[in-house]
Amino acid sequence: MSDLARGNIPIKSENDIVAARRVVRDLATQLCFGVTDVTRVITAASELARNVFLYVGAGVMWWSILDQSGEVGLELTFEDHGAGIPDVEQAMTPGYSTSRGPGLGLPGVKRLMDEMEIHTEVGKGTTVMVRKWLRE
Amino acid sequence: MATRSKLSGTAALEDIEGVGPQAFLASIVECSDDAIYGKTLDGAILSWNRGAERIYGYSAAEMVGRPVSVLVPPNKPDEVPAILERVKRGERVSHFETTRVRKDGEVIDLSLNVSPIRDASGQIIGASTTARDITEQKKMREALAERAKEILDVSTPVLQVWEGVVVAPFIGTLDTQRAQQFMERLLDKIVQTNSAVALLDVTGVPAIDTRTAQHLIETITSVRLLGAQAILTGVRPAIAQTLAHLGINLADVATRSSLAAGLRVALDILNLKISTQEDQAKGAHSL
Amino acid sequence: MTNQNISLVKVRNTLLVTMPADPDDVTVTTLQEEVLGAMEKYRPKGLVLDISSVETLDSFFARTITETSRMVTMMGGQTVIAGMRPSVAISATQLGLTMVGTFTALTVDRALDLLAHPHPRRRIR
């Protein structure tokens, strides 16, 4: 798997959440994702960027266009050096967030995307990577 | 010079100058694109034409005298004995589709016709096989079947059955991609027809597993968000039970066991009545 | 710079609010403030939120809508969300935003009809 292009935008203000949405919209549209998939990817990006801003205050969104044996994909990675997620399994349980308040919305983001990977360490930070592949 | 216009049987061939009947038949066999080979009733190869060389990759010299089982893939040990059994009884085996292994190891799809070879007294002394390579044909057939299935799935119609009502047969066994396409098509149709009600007919759903249930719930929810109302029709007790077991609450979704009943609910929502003859007569009187 | 303007008009004793395509957080918060102000001023029977131009509905936007809807209800009105795009409806559903407690309508027209003649069976729980 190789990446054809990559970039990043800092997330340190509310405006950056909008900026993230716009960058992702441009990328997804240029890659010819269908309108519903474009919306899915933007929505996922908005949620993850907001998590970074809301819970940590500062972070970065990396994006890259992937090529895996002819299949094109969009990868987004949200990185922060915050407190980390103490219990990822709990955060990934659907229904958990609704009972405790907004939460991180991670189960929903997973549903919107094709792949998701979370790396987190308490006291060090969190990296959330999501991917969406172009389908025929 | 042939005096008869139609050649029938080897007797007529003798009339063709310079060509003996055996040579004539031999050249037909040799030139054929199909593999034609003869074998003994024990399966030993007696003759091997050019078509067979091409299709199987073995030369005549390599094959004559060897057992035909050399060509058979290891997972079909009983096939040749079964065929030979039938031939011994005087039967013909026609259009038998199977696989064989070429000299280079490639597995190919073939259609076989096997018939008994009789001696002058009518005794069965061997078997003659004609094998046609249908690998390409089979690939095309499978591709067509796949496409037909896709067309059937993707074009499962979302029909507008009344002004403001659409009906969509809900197919539970769709893969993720087609399930997504189904939702998109349904919602687009609702917007396009400005419908207030969508009947999701689950009659054709064989079983509700977790994935189907999730797809169903998502469909109902997104129809609702759009601004239309979803009604489930064709709900049999078994389906209702499974949904309950999965913890799915359909309290805010109207369900009916038949499409007709669902349509009545839809029309009621749209404030229309299916008036019966009686109603119409009453109406006339009240005027 | 895209249009961040919310349009708010009073139509048939109803508040009609039209949202822009990709409102930032400030705009979304303004929605709530403007609606509450107008509810106070006009005491309409309902709010129609036209989101037909909206391309993305994330959890913040959805939460603000449901909060606003709750406030409108407390002030004696009803809220109808109109014109959600299919792609937005699907994404919102899959993200888990169900917008419980709000009415929805295909178009602004339908939304206004709904508020004018509330049909008991069309209440979405």
Side-chain angles (χ1 to χ4, degrees), chain B residues 6-269:
Chain B
K6 256 198 198 163
L7 290 171
S8 49
T10 51
L13 291 170
E14 277 168 357
D15 295 346
I16 301 175
E17 216 167 72
V19 181
Q22 302 297 1
F24 189 75
L25 288 172
S27 76
I28 292 174
V29 168
E30 250 333 275
C31 296
S32 173
D33 279 341
D34 296 337
I36 303 177
Y37 52 93
K39 53 197 183 218
T40 66
L41 291 172
D42 300 317
I45 305 278
L46 291 170
S47 64
W48 191 254
N49 80 334
R50 222 176 290 168
E53 287 185 338
R54 196 179 49 82
I55 287 176
Y56 291 107
Y58 293 97
S59 69
E62 285 176 301
M63 281 310 285
V64 172
R66 291 183 73 188
V68 71
S69 53
V70 152
L71 308 166
V72 181
N75 63 328
K76 293 173 192 253
D78 306 317
E79 208 172 77
V80 170
I83 292 173
L84 288 172
E85 267 312 302
R86 290 177 62 183
V87 168
K88 281 179 199 163
R89 291 201 296 269
E91 286 174 40
R92 293 192 62 202
V93 175
S94 312
H95 306 298
F96 180 71
E97 286 189 21
T98 183
T99 55
R100 290 287 180 265
V101 186
R102 285 172 47 94
K103 184 178 179 182
D104 59 14
E106 191 192 333
V107 178
I108 50 177
D109 294 297
L110 301 162
S111 173
L112 304 179
N113 284 324
V114 189
S115 27
I117 300 174
R118 295 172 193 273
D119 65 11
S121 64
Q123 203 65 332
I124 297 171
I125 53 163
S128 165
T129 305
T130 305
R132 177 159 298 173
D133 187 346
I134 56 166
T135 316
E136 275 313 309
Q137 218 180 76
K138 194 145 183 267
K139 264 193 227 153
M140 262 179 60
R141 247 189 297 167
E142 279 166 13
L144 273 172
E146 188 53 50
R147 265 237 67 84
K149 184 174 181 293
E150 276 176 38
I151 290 169
L152 212 62
D153 286 343
V154 174
S155 330
T156 324
V158 176
L159 301 166
Q160 181 177 20
V161 296
W162 200 270
E163 208 177 292
V165 185
V166 291
V167 176
F170 190 84
I171 303 169
T173 51
L174 293 175
D175 60 47
T176 320
Q177 190 171 325
R178 273 176 273 213
Q180 301 307 312
Q181 286 171 352
F182 170 80
M183 267 200 296
E184 284 171 40
R185 268 185 307 118
L186 173 61
L187 297 185
D188 284 340
K189 190 78 181 190
I190 292 172
V191 170
Q192 196 191 84
T193 57
N194 210 8
S195 294
V197 183
L199 298 176
L200 296 178
D201 190 55
V202 298
T203 309
V205 177
I208 300 241
D209 56 10
T210 324
R211 209 175 57 150
T212 309
Q214 181 182 45
H215 178 215
L216 185 60
I217 297 304
E218 281 183 2
T219 306
I220 294 170
T221 308
S222 42
V223 164
R224 219 202 77 216
L225 284 179
L226 206 68
Q229 204 159 332
I231 299 176
L232 279 189
T233 62
V235 182
R236 299 183 302 282
I239 302 266
Q241 198 171 48
T242 316
L243 286 171
H245 280 320
L246 289 171
I248 289 159
N249 179 24
L250 290 176
D252 55 350
V253 179
T255 62
R256 288 294 182 277
S257 57
S258 75
L259 193 53
L263 190 57
R264 261 190 211 98
V265 176
L267 296 175
D268 192 27
I269 289 170

Side-chain angles (χ1 to χ4, degrees), chain A residues 2-54:
Chain A
S2 57
D3 67 37
L4 303 171
R6 51 179 17 230
N8 69 78
I9 62 164
I11 299 171
K12 37 185 207 310
S13 74
E14 274 166 353
N15 286 336
D16 294 329
I17 300 173
V18 181
R21 287 206 292 264
R22 297 216 179 115
V23 167
V24 171
R25 190 203 304 127
D26 287 344
L27 290 168
T29 311
Q30 273 176 47
L31 291 174
C32 296
F33 277 99
V35 65
T36 309
D37 275 346
V38 170
T39 309
R40 285 191 177 101
V41 175
I42 302 173
T43 309
S46 195
E47 291 300 304
L48 295 176
R50 186 178 300 282
N51 280 351
V52 167
F53 174 67
L54 217 55

